[in-house]
Amino acid sequence: LMCAQHELNQIWELYRHPFELRRKCDQRMHFFQTVRHSMHHLISSVENYVALDVLEVQQRSFATKLEKQATSLDDLRMFHLEFLELVMHDCFLTNNTYHVMEQLLGVFQIVRKFWMLTHEVCDKYAQSTISTPPQALHISDTHFDEAKQLFLSFQKRSNAIASYTHKLSRDISM
């Protein structure tokens, strides 16, 4: 999760490159920025969910149980196992939730491929400006098509994650 977040932040830094890519970008560059933004939004949402909705809530619940109900080492052990089971479930690390983690891992791979693609595009641009004055960034048809395919794969996995998590939340509330 942190690796995907870092890679998306690096892409953002590339867009702030001294060649003023942001001012000179064309529609394709705008598409790249939109893809990056969508990926960053999902990764940030997952990161916030894990930190705030899972770990913080479960830790508070665990601390409360220890304070009010634990009278022995066996109680401590039982509450800790319960805490770990709940965290694993809520972080999609159980047999019932492996579909979500499978999709998340796929998203992380897509982010990695997009990061590599963006670096390739920016490296080609940097190489082209060595001998000529900087001009607008041109994204080739091949790179643009690859970005579109990555975005479609990303959207498919994002929708699957939303569907699975919606189903999980419905099952829990019943």
Side-chain angles (χ1 to χ4, degrees), residues 54-55 58-67 69-89:
V54 177
L55 295 176
Q58 294 304 339
Q59 189 277 332
R60 198 175 316 127
S61 174
F62 175 63
T64 301
K65 285 181 182 179
L66 285 181
E67 185 180 309
Q69 299 174 12
T71 58
S72 69
L73 193 55
D74 287 336
D75 288 342
L76 170 66
R77 189 174 156 275
M78 180 182 67
F79 292 143
H80 188 252
L81 286 175
E82 181 181 305
F83 166 79
L84 292 175
E85 287 174 7
L86 290 169
V87 167
M88 287 182 62
H89 178 271

Side-chain angles (χ1 to χ4, degrees), residues 103 107 110 150-163:
Q103 295 300 325
V107 165
I110 292 167
L150 288 171
F151 189 54
L152 289 174
S153 298
F154 170 79
Q155 285 182 314
K156 183 178 177 182
R157 288 193 180 271
S158 295
N159 291 338
I161 291 167
S163 175

Side-chain angles (χ1 to χ4, degrees), residues 32 46 105 113 120 159:
F32 266 62
V46 171
L105 291 173
K113 288 177 184 175
E120 185 179 327
N159 291 338

Side-chain angles (χ1 to χ4, degrees), residues 130-153:
I130 290 173
S131 57
T132 61
Q135 301 192 5
L137 175 67
H138 174 72
I139 298 172
S140 70
D141 291 342
T142 304
H143 288 127
F144 187 61
D145 290 342
E146 188 175 344
K148 287 193 293 187
Q149 288 303 313
L150 288 171
F151 189 54
L152 289 174
S153 298

